[in-house]
Amino acid sequence: MVEKELKTAERVRIALEVLGERASDGSYLPVNAIWAESLAQVPLTPYESEINTANKPRGETNWRFASSEFVPAGWLRKNPSLAGEWAITKSGLAALDTHPGNELFAEAQRLKTLQREKERNEIERALPERWVSVDSAQRALLAAAEVIVEEGLRKGLSAFAPGREVWTPTNIRDLHELWAAAEKVEGKGFNANLQLQFANATDDVKLLMAEVLAFQLLPIARVMGHAKKRERVESVLNAMRHPVEIPRVFDAAFTGGAYNPGRGMQGGINRAVTVMLDVLLAWSKLSDDEQQLAIEEPRRWRDLVLGKDNGFPTQRYSLLYLVHPGFFGPVVSPEQRDLIRGTFIGEIGGEFSDDPDLDLQKIVIALQVKEGKPIDLYGDLEARWRKGDDSEPDPGPSPLPDPSPDVPHPRGFLPSEVDLTELADATHLHEAWLGKVTSALHRRGQVILYGPPGTGKTYVARALADRLGKPGSVVKRIQFHPSYTYEDFFAGYRPVTDAAGQLSFSLTRGPLREIADEARKNPDVPHVLMIDEINRANLSKVFGELYYLLEYRDDAIDVLYAGSGDDGGKSFSLPGNVLIIGTMNTADRSIALLDSAMRRRFAFFELHPDVAPVKGILGRWSEQHPQTLPVAALFELLNESIRDREDRIGPSHLLRTDDLDEDDLRAVWEESILPLLEERHIGTAVDVHVKYGLDALLTIVTTDTDPTPET
């Protein structure tokens, strides 16, 4: 290895050692703390210290990429509910002892290569035999579903608590009866109702209900993410006298999904659970031989799930998929299954059989073999079979109105959830103005705070972003500059070297792509991208075709770099819960140069010392932090003396919690305020130090405030 690869290998080993020493029980540690320890032990070289386009030292970026090699090796886990946290596994602890020095990194790379080759071979063998999962998210949810099938349905045991008898006929019957008799409490959401409805149930029945809910939630994608899925399952688990933890296989599976449910499925959670429990009750009445046949034979399972009452077919096909994914696949709408079958029937000879599900499986297998890879019927093929059909399947009648299903808003938050009083206290701005900004962010998805330097644009953006955060939220902060590009912002090819020093180019995600991927995993919470100095970059080049997505969220468009999508395709959509807060400095007059596309897609809010909510902020500040010197009056006089509105000074330089004496005030004036004014008066005849100097302004202010002498 060359020197930089050796140092990277040393640092990633330190990362695993830190996790092994401080979190050997598998608990998570913040990545930044792990990096700090790795850096302390192996400092950066001058080359590694160079700041890259991600605004990080080159060595830190290399370390993060290299550490990710430990994930496919099975040595490292990333927290699915909170980005930026890692944990070591038992295999990782063993690897530290087995592979000394830099052999650890080399072994991780070898295992990653083997794992990818193994998955590739398994997929290739399965293509002519069954419906193959498209991506890792589907494979993760099916791994969790298999635990329920094997432990629950086949053995009658718990999927969450190994060896505990939970999926028994008695518990199933008791759960079915409890659910049928459960009453909704008006004004409470689904989760709160669950806790009330199961308050007097046994721990075994509560555990069974939690596992049934997990089974129902596993394949749901986009509209419900990791945090909400966990919350729903834990609402029952936490009601147990002796609660049980959600296993990691389910925790990992909750991050993804297989299909985007329609409105009926989102709003009909009570009915969906009823279908699940009806099928489970029918299952419990089968003989052992009949149960065995249903698990092994897809058509037998279908007979049980569809039964005589085939209402709510989308939920029933979801159950078919979970138990027999290779036969039924992740298409749960009967109408869409018929459309796909009719469109592609020529792939299997053009003749319909009397089993539509078998026809569809044969069609998918034929397409897989033809393409040499798993196919996504909702990807490039969707336009062929949909033909303008955007109808949504009817979930079937619900005899009673469902309680609130706690379906999240597409933005991941509601304005009413933001504590404007607390935000106003933190920023010293008016609640009404902050409410307008919050409402616009909720309505449009992106806002820009603009004004001269020192008006608190970045501070307000950070305060708002932090208060929008929920468990599972991600907040990214980046800064645009003249050399910032589309490749930096969204995705582009970057040079990387392996352990042998071989150079290659890898498609690397930028901050927008990263936060969009995280938002798609957790659609029920907001993900905020803060862009400081947004007007300093060439926005048309940086955003490119992404401009369209700011206005039409969730629409898929082709992007510049093929392969940047999770499915390896070219299409990309921007989730509605990605919120963009930009800041713009108007001192350089560049706001006037913004193109109309930018103006149309963002809501603009001014922060200027002449107008509310910034006007008068120093007076409000001094009420909480009294000042001996007339700081607020000095500030007002200073800005009144500056003719050009955009040259005026923001108050942040003077928002100090301590009582400023004259030396402190003079330091602020000479180190911060006068240099700004000098820059803006270059080429003029104005002597900045004479006109705006502290002594001159203090004389005027103190003269104006002195009492008039008696005559």
Side-chain angles (χ1 to χ4, degrees), residues 537-689:
N538 185 328
L539 296 179
S540 296
K541 288 185 177 181
V542 170
F543 278 89
E545 71 277 0
L546 303 174
Y547 261 149
Y548 174 85
L549 296 179
L550 295 177
E551 192 167 1
Y552 300 100
R553 299 296 186 97
D554 288 323
D555 276 11
I557 62 171
D558 285 352
V559 291
L560 182 59
Y561 291 101
S564 59
D566 293 332
D567 59 357
K570 296 188 297 181
S571 63
F572 172 76
S573 61
L574 186 63
N577 60 320
V578 172
L579 310 176
I580 300 176
I581 305 177
T583 68
M584 180 178 291
N585 182 2
T586 56
D588 57 9
R589 279 74 172 173
S590 57
I591 188 172
L593 304 177
L594 284 180
D595 61 25
S596 60
M598 186 71 168
R599 291 176 178 272
R600 189 170 66 249
R601 286 166 170 81
F602 281 80
F604 286 77
F605 292 89
E606 185 179 34
L607 286 168
H608 194 282
D610 287 359
V611 297
V614 179
K615 185 176 177 62
I617 192 173
L618 272 173
R620 298 192 295 273
W621 179 269
S622 62
E623 291 176 2
Q624 295 187 22
H625 308 285
Q627 300 290 323
T628 302
L629 293 172
V631 174
L634 274 170
F635 174 74
E636 294 293 336
L637 178 60
L638 171 66
N639 277 331
E640 288 173 4
S641 305
I642 301 172
R643 176 177 297 180
D644 194 322
R645 185 173 185 270
E646 297 309 324
D647 286 346
R648 290 173 184 166
I649 302 297
S652 62
H653 306 286
L654 298 168
L655 295 175
R656 302 278 289 272
T657 57
D658 52 327
D659 185 5
L660 291 172
D661 59 26
E662 189 169 335
D663 288 341
D664 292 331
L665 186 58
R666 193 172 299 280
V668 171
W669 223 263
E670 294 177 355
E671 295 171 12
S672 299
I673 293 176
L674 290 180
L676 281 174
L677 293 171
E678 285 177 338
E679 178 187 354
R680 297 177 202 176
H681 287 78
I682 292 176
T684 70
V686 175
D687 188 330
V688 169
H689 290 267

Side-chain angles (χ1 to χ4, degrees), residues 269-322:
I269 178 62
N270 265 27
R271 180 63 174 159
V273 173
T274 298
V275 168
M276 299 276 290
L277 296 182
D278 284 348
V279 171
L280 193 55
L281 183 64
W283 163 267
S284 70
K285 295 177 180 178
L286 297 178
S287 67
D288 291 345
D289 290 341
E290 289 171 330
Q291 289 181 350
Q292 186 73 15
L293 283 173
I295 289 177
E296 295 176 354
E297 171 52 50
R299 294 174 185 82
R300 291 292 190 100
W301 178 246
R302 182 177 61 190
D303 291 342
L304 175 72
V305 172
L306 297 185
K308 296 179 181 179
D309 176 14
N310 58 3
F312 213 148
T314 52
Q315 181 57 60
R316 294 181 188 275
Y317 264 97
S318 180
L319 265 176
L320 295 178
Y321 165 66
L322 287 169

